[in-house]
Amino acid sequence: MILDRLENLPVGSFHYKLLAVTGLGWLFDSMDTGLISFVLPILAKEWSLTPEQVGWIGSVGLIGMALGAVLAGTIADRFGRKNVFAATVILYSVATGLCAVAWSYESLLVFRFLVGFGLGGELPVAATLMSEYAPSHLRGRFIVLLESFWGIGWLVAALISYLLIPKFGWHTAFIIGAMPALYVFLIRLHMPESIRYLISKGRVEEARQIILSLEKKLGVASKPFDKEFEEESTPIFKLNVLTLWTKTFRVRTIMLWLAWFGIVFSYYGIFMWLPSIVFAQGFEVVKTFEYVLIMTLAQLPGYIAAAFLVDIIGRRYTLSFFLLMSGVCAYFFGNAATSYELLGWGAAMSFFNLGAWGVIYTYTPELYPTAIRALGSGWAAGFGRIGGMIAPMLVGVLLVGGAAINSIFVMFASVFVIISVIILSLGVESKKKSLEEIDASFKTKTA
């Protein structure tokens, strides 16, 4: 069987190259998201924007991300993971470059929508592709490591903002953000199509050729395939969002959609406004960048901790714990009275919150079978982006209405705690199960 040979491949250069190629896409996505959050305080002053307008700049990208995640996830199950991944990278790169020449507030909104559309499409497709190649006993670790590139991207954004924006202006940040378009050539050269996707579409011979090529690269003694028919590895489901709400998937869809909504709402509500909030505390722009840079560095050990725990105590418990601690840290960050408390609780919040992101990207593709994996992941992420649309605007409205920073962070802390309980209550464990075992469980349920 093709999938038996795929699962038995030793972890080697191919897996790490695939991690690097998909991870670079993640890095560029994060870098763009980070850059806009650092640019916002400067842009607000230069263009005399109101807090509501600033909130819309953050939210319009999330609207694009929601639509991008839903559409890309749907077509990736129909036309393949690799092509959709490359197309979304090109879209957000070109749109980011256009942000550098935005001539008005309205034009920037249009370009940020297109950026978000590309970003939203790329992330769930990349996670699905990596899930379908990583060996089952290390799949959780690989996906969390993939998500860790997000932290590196934020770090790059913070460095660009710290070193270049004060000297050369905000346009420079978006020009640099357009560079990932060149990265598409790496995707075309080094990223194969998902073998599981090819088999699900009856393209068995293509899947066999990829396996033979991988075995050769990894030094595995290879033998020709028999010419017998390769049996479909997953039951057939309609590529329709209604499939996600059938009895088989309903509970996990509810759990994932609520979890994604909560984590995206809190993340973008906090981190899109983070430089502005620190700046509002009385720190000048350069000092603000320094503080946010330190908080960003704390994301990396958060990913490492999550990568270690996710294959030991499991996805459900790791995700629930990291979200609970994110809530605790968000509460104390919002009530910080000194610069040391601001830094300490901000760093801890970054540690747990970004670790949670790594786990949810691991967990989501594992809860659906191959035939609708990208569809399910895309819709979960897309619904989550609704939370991201609401949060930046809501923070702007609350600030204009005179709400205190600590009350805003009580709201975010509460959301973290609620979704932690939801995951613990409704989640199922998928630790170290092969994707074929997951597919087989759905065959049983649909028999």
Side-chain angles (χ1 to χ4, degrees):
M1 287 283 289
I2 294 175
L3 296 176
D4 289 337
R5 287 170 69 164
L6 174 64
E7 188 66 28
N8 290 327
L9 288 174
V11 176
S13 58
F14 162 74
H15 297 92
Y16 293 113
K17 183 181 290 185
L18 183 63
L19 176 64
V21 172
T22 51
L24 280 173
W26 223 277
L27 184 152
F28 293 137
D29 284 5
S30 169
M31 183 180 75
D32 177 87
T33 303
L35 286 175
I36 190 63
S37 73
F38 286 109
V39 164
L40 281 179
I42 299 170
L43 203 58
K45 184 177 181 180
E46 186 174 318
W47 286 5
S48 301
L49 301 178
T50 66
E52 290 97 329
Q53 289 177 313
V54 172
W56 264 107
I57 293 174
S59 293
V60 75
L62 273 296
I63 296 172
M65 290 183 83
L67 296 175
V70 168
L71 182 60
T74 302
I75 64 176
D77 278 329
R78 190 178 298 276
F79 299 110
R81 288 42 165 149
K82 179 180 178 179
N83 291 332
V84 175
F85 184 79
T88 54
V89 170
I90 289 176
L91 175 60
Y92 87 74
S93 299
V94 172
T96 299
L98 290 173
C99 289
V101 296
W103 55 90
S104 67
Y105 170 70
E106 290 75 18
S107 66
L108 183 61
L109 286 180
V110 172
F111 297 145
R112 290 306 303 171
F113 172 82
L114 295 175
V115 170
F117 194 94
L119 295 179
E122 187 268 330
L123 295 175
V125 174
T128 297
L129 183 62
M130 193 71 235
S131 292
E132 293 178 342
Y133 267 110
S136 58
H137 66 290
L138 292 175
R139 189 172 59 245
R141 193 163 301 176
F142 265 97
I143 304 301
V144 177
L145 289 174
L146 170 63
E147 169 65 13
S148 72
F149 280 83
W150 185 273
I152 299 172
W154 258 90
L155 180 59
V156 172
L159 289 171
I160 290 172
S161 302
Y162 179 64
L163 298 173
L164 299 181
I165 290 179
K167 293 182 180 179
F168 303 105
W170 59 268
H171 302 82
T172 307
F174 290 126
I175 292 171
I176 294 172
M179 293 176 60
L182 302 174
Y183 155 72
V184 172
F185 295 105
L186 279 178
I187 297 174
R188 304 300 302 175
L189 287 173
H190 297 291
M191 179 183 288
E193 183 54 86
S194 164
I195 287 175
R196 289 179 166 92
Y197 165 78
L198 292 173
I199 293 174
S200 75
K201 295 300 180 182
R203 295 160 60 180
V204 175
E205 190 55 38
E206 291 178 60
R208 287 173 171 168
Q209 292 305 311
I210 293 175
I211 283 291
L212 292 171
S213 173
L214 293 180
E215 288 177 336
K216 183 178 179 181
K217 288 178 181 178
L218 295 171
V220 176
S222 190
K223 61 181 180 179
F225 284 95
D226 295 330
K227 292 299 182 183
E228 77 274 4
F229 176 74
E230 189 76 25
E231 193 174 313
E232 174 60 67
S233 64
T234 184
I236 300 299
F237 295 101
K238 291 182 180 179
L239 282 175
N240 188 310
V241 66
L242 296 179
T243 302
L244 305 178
W245 290 95
T246 58
K247 184 178 179 181
T248 304
F249 304 108
R250 189 178 303 133
V251 173
R252 61 190 63 202
T253 296
I254 290 171
M255 184 271 294
L256 285 173
W257 285 30
L258 290 176
W260 272 94
F261 183 93
I263 196 171
V264 176
F265 176 88
S266 300
Y267 175 81
Y268 282 96
I270 293 172
F271 285 90
M272 191 69 75
W273 279 91
L274 190 58
S276 300
I277 289 171
V278 176
F279 184 67
Q281 297 293 96
F283 301 103
E284 66 271 20
V285 171
V286 172
K287 182 62 87 172
T288 295
F289 288 153
E290 289 177 0
Y291 276 39
V292 176
L293 178 59
I294 293 170
M295 295 178 199
T296 302
L297 284 170
Q299 297 176 7
L300 301 179
Y303 288 122
I304 294 171
F308 177 75
L309 292 173
V310 74
D311 283 321
I312 296 177
I313 67 173
R315 282 65 159 144
R316 183 166 60 124
Y317 291 114
T318 303
L319 181 55
S320 182
F321 173 71
F322 272 60
L323 288 171
L324 176 64
M325 293 306 299
S326 296
V328 172
C329 296
Y331 173 81
F332 285 106
F333 178 81
N335 286 275
T338 68
S339 59
Y340 294 108
E341 290 179 1
L342 191 78
L343 268 179
W345 288 112
M349 183 173 62
S350 290
F351 177 98
F352 287 108
N353 188 227
L354 275 296
W357 272 96
V359 184
I360 202 167
Y361 269 109
T362 301
Y363 196 32
T364 303
E366 295 177 343
L367 296 186
Y368 295 106
T370 300
I372 60 168
R373 181 166 294 124
L375 174 77
S377 299
W379 272 92
F383 183 79
R385 302 301 173 190
I386 297 174
M389 299 173 208
I390 295 170
M393 290 188 294
L394 180 60
V395 172
V397 170
L398 290 173
L399 289 174
V400 169
I405 293 294
N406 63 339
S407 64
I408 293 173
F409 275 84
V410 167
M411 174 185 68
F412 289 128
S414 301
V415 171
F416 278 130
V417 172
I418 290 169
I419 58 174
S420 172
V421 173
I422 289 172
I423 290 166
L424 201 59
S425 303
L426 301 181
V428 294
E429 188 52 64
S430 53
K431 177 182 67 173
K432 295 188 179 179
K433 290 182 180 178
S434 72
L435 295 182
E436 284 60 62
E437 289 178 283
I438 293 171
D439 286 351
S441 71
F442 290 112
K443 283 185 179 180
T444 302
K445 292 177 182 179
T446 55

